[in-house]
PDB file of all heavy atoms in Angstrom:
ATOM      1  N   THR A   1     -29.692 -17.562  37.444  1.00  0.00           N
ATOM      2  CA  THR A   1     -28.461 -17.132  36.810  1.00  0.00           C
ATOM      3  C   THR A   1     -28.018 -15.806  37.408  1.00  0.00           C
ATOM      4  O   THR A   1     -28.774 -14.838  37.403  1.00  0.00           O
ATOM      5  CB  THR A   1     -28.629 -16.969  35.292  1.00  0.00           C
ATOM      6  OG1 THR A   1     -29.063 -18.199  34.711  1.00  0.00           O
ATOM      7  CG2 THR A   1     -27.304 -16.567  34.655  1.00  0.00           C
ATOM      8  N   ILE A   2     -26.794 -15.766  37.912  1.00  0.00           N
ATOM      9  CA  ILE A   2     -26.226 -14.527  38.415  1.00  0.00           C
ATOM     10  C   ILE A   2     -25.299 -13.951  37.356  1.00  0.00           C
ATOM     11  O   ILE A   2     -24.590 -14.684  36.675  1.00  0.00           O
ATOM     12  CB  ILE A   2     -25.471 -14.746  39.748  1.00  0.00           C
ATOM     13  CG1 ILE A   2     -25.034 -13.406  40.348  1.00  0.00           C
ATOM     14  CG2 ILE A   2     -24.279 -15.672  39.563  1.00  0.00           C
ATOM     15  CD1 ILE A   2     -24.456 -13.520  41.758  1.00  0.00           C
ATOM     16  N   SER A   3     -25.318 -12.640  37.214  1.00  0.00           N
ATOM     17  CA  SER A   3     -24.453 -11.972  36.256  1.00  0.00           C
ATOM     18  C   SER A   3     -24.136 -10.574  36.766  1.00  0.00           C
ATOM     19  O   SER A   3     -24.776 -10.082  37.695  1.00  0.00           O
ATOM     20  CB  SER A   3     -25.100 -11.904  34.868  1.00  0.00           C
ATOM     21  OG  SER A   3     -26.303 -11.161  34.904  1.00  0.00           O
ATOM     22  N   ARG A   4     -23.141  -9.949  36.163  1.00  0.00           N
ATOM     23  CA  ARG A   4     -22.787  -8.595  36.565  1.00  0.00           C
ATOM     24  C   ARG A   4     -22.400  -7.774  35.357  1.00  0.00           C
ATOM     25  O   ARG A   4     -21.845  -8.285  34.384  1.00  0.00           O
ATOM     26  CB  ARG A   4     -21.653  -8.611  37.604  1.00  0.00           C
ATOM     27  CG  ARG A   4     -20.316  -9.131  37.091  1.00  0.00           C
ATOM     28  CD  ARG A   4     -19.340  -9.384  38.247  1.00  0.00           C
ATOM     29  NE  ARG A   4     -19.037  -8.180  38.995  1.00  0.00           N
ATOM     30  CZ  ARG A   4     -18.396  -8.175  40.162  1.00  0.00           C
ATOM     31  NH1 ARG A   4     -18.012  -9.316  40.719  1.00  0.00           N
ATOM     32  NH2 ARG A   4     -18.150  -7.022  40.780  1.00  0.00           N
ATOM     33  N   ASP A   5     -22.700  -6.495  35.430  1.00  0.00           N
ATOM     34  CA  ASP A   5     -22.317  -5.532  34.420  1.00  0.00           C
ATOM     35  C   ASP A   5     -21.536  -4.451  35.150  1.00  0.00           C
ATOM     36  O   ASP A   5     -22.120  -3.538  35.737  1.00  0.00           O
ATOM     37  CB  ASP A   5     -23.537  -4.952  33.712  1.00  0.00           C
ATOM     38  CG  ASP A   5     -23.166  -4.063  32.546  1.00  0.00           C
ATOM     39  OD1 ASP A   5     -22.050  -3.520  32.519  1.00  0.00           O
ATOM     40  OD2 ASP A   5     -24.012  -3.898  31.635  1.00  0.00           O
ATOM     41  N   ASN A   6     -20.226  -4.562  35.130  1.00  0.00           N
ATOM     42  CA  ASN A   6     -19.391  -3.647  35.896  1.00  0.00           C
ATOM     43  C   ASN A   6     -19.504  -2.203  35.405  1.00  0.00           C
ATOM     44  O   ASN A   6     -19.394  -1.266  36.204  1.00  0.00           O
ATOM     45  CB  ASN A   6     -17.933  -4.101  35.842  1.00  0.00           C
ATOM     46  CG  ASN A   6     -17.693  -5.391  36.596  1.00  0.00           C
ATOM     47  OD1 ASN A   6     -18.371  -5.689  37.575  1.00  0.00           O
ATOM     48  ND2 ASN A   6     -16.720  -6.175  36.145  1.00  0.00           N
ATOM     49  N   ALA A   7     -19.718  -2.018  34.118  1.00  0.00           N
ATOM     50  CA  ALA A   7     -19.863  -0.674  33.573  1.00  0.00           C
ATOM     51  C   ALA A   7     -21.082   0.029  34.145  1.00  0.00           C
ATOM     52  O   ALA A   7     -21.111   1.256  34.249  1.00  0.00           O
ATOM     53  CB  ALA A   7     -19.939  -0.717  32.051  1.00  0.00           C
ATOM     54  N   LYS A   8     -22.103  -0.743  34.511  1.00  0.00           N
ATOM     55  CA  LYS A   8     -23.323  -0.185  35.083  1.00  0.00           C
ATOM     56  C   LYS A   8     -23.390  -0.343  36.595  1.00  0.00           C
ATOM     57  O   LYS A   8     -24.391   0.022  37.207  1.00  0.00           O
ATOM     58  CB  LYS A   8     -24.549  -0.846  34.447  1.00  0.00           C
ATOM     59  CG  LYS A   8     -24.680  -0.603  32.955  1.00  0.00           C
ATOM     60  CD  LYS A   8     -25.916  -1.279  32.392  1.00  0.00           C
ATOM     61  CE  LYS A   8     -26.061  -1.026  30.905  1.00  0.00           C
ATOM     62  NZ  LYS A   8     -27.252  -1.699  30.337  1.00  0.00           N
ATOM     63  N   ASN A   9     -22.341  -0.889  37.172  1.00  0.00           N
ATOM     64  CA  ASN A   9     -22.296  -1.128  38.618  1.00  0.00           C
ATOM     65  C   ASN A   9     -23.525  -1.895  39.090  1.00  0.00           C
ATOM     66  O   ASN A   9     -24.126  -1.573  40.115  1.00  0.00           O
ATOM     67  CB  ASN A   9     -22.181   0.196  39.378  1.00  0.00           C
ATOM     68  CG  ASN A   9     -20.872   0.905  39.123  1.00  0.00           C
ATOM     69  OD1 ASN A   9     -19.848   0.281  38.865  1.00  0.00           O
ATOM     70  ND2 ASN A   9     -20.891   2.225  39.206  1.00  0.00           N
ATOM     71  N   THR A  10     -23.873  -2.917  38.351  1.00  0.00           N
ATOM     72  CA  THR A  10     -25.099  -3.651  38.620  1.00  0.00           C
ATOM     73  C   THR A  10     -24.861  -5.153  38.598  1.00  0.00           C
ATOM     74  O   THR A  10     -24.128  -5.660  37.754  1.00  0.00           O
ATOM     75  CB  THR A  10     -26.187  -3.295  37.600  1.00  0.00           C
ATOM     76  OG1 THR A  10     -26.414  -1.880  37.625  1.00  0.00           O
ATOM     77  CG2 THR A  10     -27.490  -3.996  37.933  1.00  0.00           C
ATOM     78  N   VAL A  11     -25.500  -5.835  39.528  1.00  0.00           N
ATOM     79  CA  VAL A  11     -25.492  -7.286  39.602  1.00  0.00           C
ATOM     80  C   VAL A  11     -26.924  -7.765  39.446  1.00  0.00           C
ATOM     81  O   VAL A  11     -27.847  -7.150  39.983  1.00  0.00           O
ATOM     82  CB  VAL A  11     -24.901  -7.784  40.931  1.00  0.00           C
ATOM     83  CG1 VAL A  11     -24.824  -9.303  40.954  1.00  0.00           C
ATOM     84  CG2 VAL A  11     -23.521  -7.183  41.158  1.00  0.00           C
ATOM     85  N   TYR A  12     -27.112  -8.856  38.733  1.00  0.00           N
ATOM     86  CA  TYR A  12     -28.444  -9.367  38.451  1.00  0.00           C
ATOM     87  C   TYR A  12     -28.601 -10.791  38.958  1.00  0.00           C
ATOM     88  O   TYR A  12     -27.643 -11.550  39.068  1.00  0.00           O
ATOM     89  CB  TYR A  12     -28.721  -9.366  36.943  1.00  0.00           C
ATOM     90  CG  TYR A  12     -28.535  -8.031  36.275  1.00  0.00           C
ATOM     91  CD1 TYR A  12     -27.341  -7.720  35.640  1.00  0.00           C
ATOM     92  CD2 TYR A  12     -29.558  -7.088  36.266  1.00  0.00           C
ATOM     93  CE1 TYR A  12     -27.164  -6.495  35.013  1.00  0.00           C
ATOM     94  CE2 TYR A  12     -29.392  -5.865  35.644  1.00  0.00           C
ATOM     95  CZ  TYR A  12     -28.198  -5.573  35.019  1.00  0.00           C
ATOM     96  OH  TYR A  12     -28.030  -4.353  34.396  1.00  0.00           O
ATOM     97  N   LEU A  13     -29.840 -11.142  39.231  1.00  0.00           N
ATOM     98  CA  LEU A  13     -30.194 -12.517  39.513  1.00  0.00           C
ATOM     99  C   LEU A  13     -31.455 -12.840  38.722  1.00  0.00           C
ATOM    100  O   LEU A  13     -32.541 -12.380  39.067  1.00  0.00           O
ATOM    101  CB  LEU A  13     -30.432 -12.754  41.003  1.00  0.00           C
ATOM    102  CG  LEU A  13     -30.719 -14.209  41.386  1.00  0.00           C
ATOM    103  CD1 LEU A  13     -29.479 -15.082  41.155  1.00  0.00           C
ATOM    104  CD2 LEU A  13     -31.177 -14.320  42.837  1.00  0.00           C
ATOM    105  N   GLN A  14     -31.288 -13.594  37.654  1.00  0.00           N
ATOM    106  CA  GLN A  14     -32.421 -14.049  36.866  1.00  0.00           C
ATOM    107  C   GLN A  14     -32.955 -15.326  37.480  1.00  0.00           C
ATOM    108  O   GLN A  14     -32.218 -16.294  37.631  1.00  0.00           O
ATOM    109  CB  GLN A  14     -31.998 -14.301  35.416  1.00  0.00           C
ATOM    110  CG  GLN A  14     -33.106 -14.832  34.518  1.00  0.00           C
ATOM    111  CD  GLN A  14     -34.200 -13.824  34.277  1.00  0.00           C
ATOM    112  OE1 GLN A  14     -33.912 -12.665  33.998  1.00  0.00           O
ATOM    113  NE2 GLN A  14     -35.444 -14.253  34.395  1.00  0.00           N
ATOM    114  N   MET A  15     -34.224 -15.332  37.823  1.00  0.00           N
ATOM    115  CA  MET A  15     -34.840 -16.466  38.495  1.00  0.00           C
ATOM    116  C   MET A  15     -35.962 -17.007  37.619  1.00  0.00           C
ATOM    117  O   MET A  15     -36.950 -16.320  37.363  1.00  0.00           O
ATOM    118  CB  MET A  15     -35.382 -16.064  39.860  1.00  0.00           C
ATOM    119  CG  MET A  15     -34.333 -15.440  40.777  1.00  0.00           C
ATOM    120  SD  MET A  15     -34.966 -15.097  42.438  1.00  0.00           S
ATOM    121  CE  MET A  15     -36.142 -13.796  42.056  1.00  0.00           C
ATOM    122  N   ASN A  16     -35.798 -18.234  37.167  1.00  0.00           N
ATOM    123  CA  ASN A  16     -36.795 -18.895  36.339  1.00  0.00           C
ATOM    124  C   ASN A  16     -37.378 -20.085  37.081  1.00  0.00           C
ATOM    125  O   ASN A  16     -36.798 -20.585  38.038  1.00  0.00           O
ATOM    126  CB  ASN A  16     -36.175 -19.364  35.023  1.00  0.00           C
ATOM    127  CG  ASN A  16     -35.647 -18.234  34.175  1.00  0.00           C
ATOM    128  OD1 ASN A  16     -36.190 -17.135  34.165  1.00  0.00           O
ATOM    129  ND2 ASN A  16     -34.574 -18.517  33.426  1.00  0.00           N
ATOM    130  N   SER A  17     -38.524 -20.534  36.614  1.00  0.00           N
ATOM    131  CA  SER A  17     -39.186 -21.705  37.201  1.00  0.00           C
ATOM    132  C   SER A  17     -39.280 -21.595  38.713  1.00  0.00           C
ATOM    133  O   SER A  17     -38.944 -22.522  39.449  1.00  0.00           O
ATOM    134  CB  SER A  17     -38.434 -22.980  36.800  1.00  0.00           C
ATOM    135  OG  SER A  17     -38.383 -23.131  35.399  1.00  0.00           O
ATOM    136  N   LEU A  18     -39.754 -20.470  39.172  1.00  0.00           N
ATOM    137  CA  LEU A  18     -39.812 -20.213  40.607  1.00  0.00           C
ATOM    138  C   LEU A  18     -40.744 -21.186  41.315  1.00  0.00           C
ATOM    139  O   LEU A  18     -41.771 -21.589  40.777  1.00  0.00           O
ATOM    140  CB  LEU A  18     -40.252 -18.781  40.867  1.00  0.00           C
ATOM    141  CG  LEU A  18     -39.158 -17.734  40.636  1.00  0.00           C
ATOM    142  CD1 LEU A  18     -39.761 -16.349  40.494  1.00  0.00           C
ATOM    143  CD2 LEU A  18     -38.157 -17.768  41.786  1.00  0.00           C
ATOM    144  N   LYS A  19     -40.359 -21.536  42.526  1.00  0.00           N
ATOM    145  CA  LYS A  19     -41.100 -22.458  43.358  1.00  0.00           C
ATOM    146  C   LYS A  19     -41.502 -21.773  44.661  1.00  0.00           C
ATOM    147  O   LYS A  19     -40.856 -20.820  45.084  1.00  0.00           O
ATOM    148  CB  LYS A  19     -40.248 -23.688  43.678  1.00  0.00           C
ATOM    149  CG  LYS A  19     -39.719 -24.434  42.465  1.00  0.00           C
ATOM    150  CD  LYS A  19     -38.794 -25.570  42.889  1.00  0.00           C
ATOM    151  CE  LYS A  19     -38.254 -26.316  41.691  1.00  0.00           C
ATOM    152  NZ  LYS A  19     -37.335 -27.416  42.105  1.00  0.00           N
ATOM    153  N   PRO A  20     -42.547 -22.248  45.314  1.00  0.00           N
ATOM    154  CA  PRO A  20     -42.938 -21.648  46.587  1.00  0.00           C
ATOM    155  C   PRO A  20     -41.797 -21.611  47.603  1.00  0.00           C
ATOM    156  O   PRO A  20     -41.716 -20.662  48.393  1.00  0.00           O
ATOM    157  CB  PRO A  20     -44.076 -22.551  47.063  1.00  0.00           C
ATOM    158  CG  PRO A  20     -44.695 -23.048  45.800  1.00  0.00           C
ATOM    159  CD  PRO A  20     -43.532 -23.259  44.870  1.00  0.00           C
ATOM    160  N   GLU A  21     -40.922 -22.603  47.587  1.00  0.00           N
ATOM    161  CA  GLU A  21     -39.808 -22.622  48.521  1.00  0.00           C
ATOM    162  C   GLU A  21     -38.756 -21.562  48.233  1.00  0.00           C
ATOM    163  O   GLU A  21     -37.827 -21.377  49.028  1.00  0.00           O
ATOM    164  CB  GLU A  21     -39.157 -24.008  48.571  1.00  0.00           C
ATOM    165  CG  GLU A  21     -38.817 -24.573  47.212  1.00  0.00           C
ATOM    166  CD  GLU A  21     -39.878 -25.534  46.697  1.00  0.00           C
ATOM    167  OE1 GLU A  21     -41.078 -25.221  46.811  1.00  0.00           O
ATOM    168  OE2 GLU A  21     -39.502 -26.611  46.188  1.00  0.00           O
ATOM    169  N   ASP A  22     -38.878 -20.860  47.106  1.00  0.00           N
ATOM    170  CA  ASP A  22     -37.994 -19.737  46.817  1.00  0.00           C
ATOM    171  C   ASP A  22     -38.442 -18.461  47.520  1.00  0.00           C
ATOM    172  O   ASP A  22     -37.734 -17.453  47.478  1.00  0.00           O
ATOM    173  CB  ASP A  22     -37.922 -19.481  45.311  1.00  0.00           C
ATOM    174  CG  ASP A  22     -37.299 -20.624  44.542  1.00  0.00           C
ATOM    175  OD1 ASP A  22     -36.294 -21.199  45.026  1.00  0.00           O
ATOM    176  OD2 ASP A  22     -37.804 -20.948  43.447  1.00  0.00           O
ATOM    177  N   THR A  23     -39.597 -18.486  48.134  1.00  0.00           N
ATOM    178  CA  THR A  23     -40.127 -17.313  48.822  1.00  0.00           C
ATOM    179  C   THR A  23     -39.183 -16.876  49.932  1.00  0.00           C
ATOM    180  O   THR A  23     -38.828 -17.662  50.809  1.00  0.00           O
ATOM    181  CB  THR A  23     -41.513 -17.606  49.399  1.00  0.00           C
ATOM    182  OG1 THR A  23     -42.431 -17.861  48.332  1.00  0.00           O
ATOM    183  CG2 THR A  23     -42.027 -16.425  50.218  1.00  0.00           C
ATOM    184  N   ALA A  24     -38.772 -15.615  49.891  1.00  0.00           N
ATOM    185  CA  ALA A  24     -37.822 -15.088  50.869  1.00  0.00           C
ATOM    186  C   ALA A  24     -37.566 -13.618  50.574  1.00  0.00           C
ATOM    187  O   ALA A  24     -37.956 -13.103  49.529  1.00  0.00           O
ATOM    188  CB  ALA A  24     -36.508 -15.861  50.823  1.00  0.00           C
ATOM    189  N   VAL A  25     -36.886 -12.969  51.499  1.00  0.00           N
ATOM    190  CA  VAL A  25     -36.310 -11.667  51.218  1.00  0.00           C
ATOM    191  C   VAL A  25     -34.937 -11.909  50.614  1.00  0.00           C
ATOM    192  O   VAL A  25     -34.123 -12.623  51.202  1.00  0.00           O
ATOM    193  CB  VAL A  25     -36.194 -10.800  52.484  1.00  0.00           C
ATOM    194  CG1 VAL A  25     -35.507  -9.473  52.160  1.00  0.00           C
ATOM    195  CG2 VAL A  25     -37.571 -10.547  53.078  1.00  0.00           C
ATOM    196  N   TYR A  26     -34.687 -11.333  49.471  1.00  0.00           N
ATOM    197  CA  TYR A  26     -33.428 -11.518  48.773  1.00  0.00           C
ATOM    198  C   TYR A  26     -32.533 -10.305  48.981  1.00  0.00           C
ATOM    199  O   TYR A  26     -32.957  -9.163  48.820  1.00  0.00           O
ATOM    200  CB  TYR A  26     -33.667 -11.745  47.284  1.00  0.00           C
ATOM    201  CG  TYR A  26     -34.142 -13.144  46.975  1.00  0.00           C
ATOM    202  CD1 TYR A  26     -35.416 -13.557  47.338  1.00  0.00           C
ATOM    203  CD2 TYR A  26     -33.305 -14.058  46.339  1.00  0.00           C
ATOM    204  CE1 TYR A  26     -35.850 -14.849  47.083  1.00  0.00           C
ATOM    205  CE2 TYR A  26     -33.732 -15.349  46.073  1.00  0.00           C
ATOM    206  CZ  TYR A  26     -35.006 -15.738  46.445  1.00  0.00           C
ATOM    207  OH  TYR A  26     -35.433 -17.018  46.186  1.00  0.00           O
ATOM    208  N   TYR A  27     -31.288 -10.578  49.338  1.00  0.00           N
ATOM    209  CA  TYR A  27     -30.316  -9.530  49.635  1.00  0.00           C
ATOM    210  C   TYR A  27     -29.128  -9.605  48.689  1.00  0.00           C
ATOM    211  O   TYR A  27     -28.632 -10.689  48.385  1.00  0.00           O
ATOM    212  CB  TYR A  27     -29.784  -9.661  51.066  1.00  0.00           C
ATOM    213  CG  TYR A  27     -30.811  -9.492  52.150  1.00  0.00           C
ATOM    214  CD1 TYR A  27     -31.507 -10.582  52.649  1.00  0.00           C
ATOM    215  CD2 TYR A  27     -31.067  -8.234  52.686  1.00  0.00           C
ATOM    216  CE1 TYR A  27     -32.441 -10.438  53.655  1.00  0.00           C
ATOM    217  CE2 TYR A  27     -31.999  -8.072  53.694  1.00  0.00           C
ATOM    218  CZ  TYR A  27     -32.680  -9.178  54.172  1.00  0.00           C
ATOM    219  OH  TYR A  27     -33.603  -9.022  55.177  1.00  0.00           O
TER     220      TYR A  27
END
């Protein structure tokens, strides 16, 4: 789930049920 809080100048990525194929550098 991607979300943003503009008041905090922050973007989030909630990652659930992670799998080995999700392994990476996230940008």
Side-chain angles (χ1 to χ4, degrees):
T1 302
I2 187 172
S3 62
R4 66 192 299 169
D5 187 336
N6 291 330
K8 297 180 179 179
N9 294 330
T10 303
V11 183
Y12 305 96
L13 184 67
Q14 178 68 45
M15 304 185 293
N16 298 327
S17 301
L18 283 163
K19 304 175 180 179
E21 50 263 44
D22 296 319
T23 296
V25 177
Y26 283 70
Y27 297 91

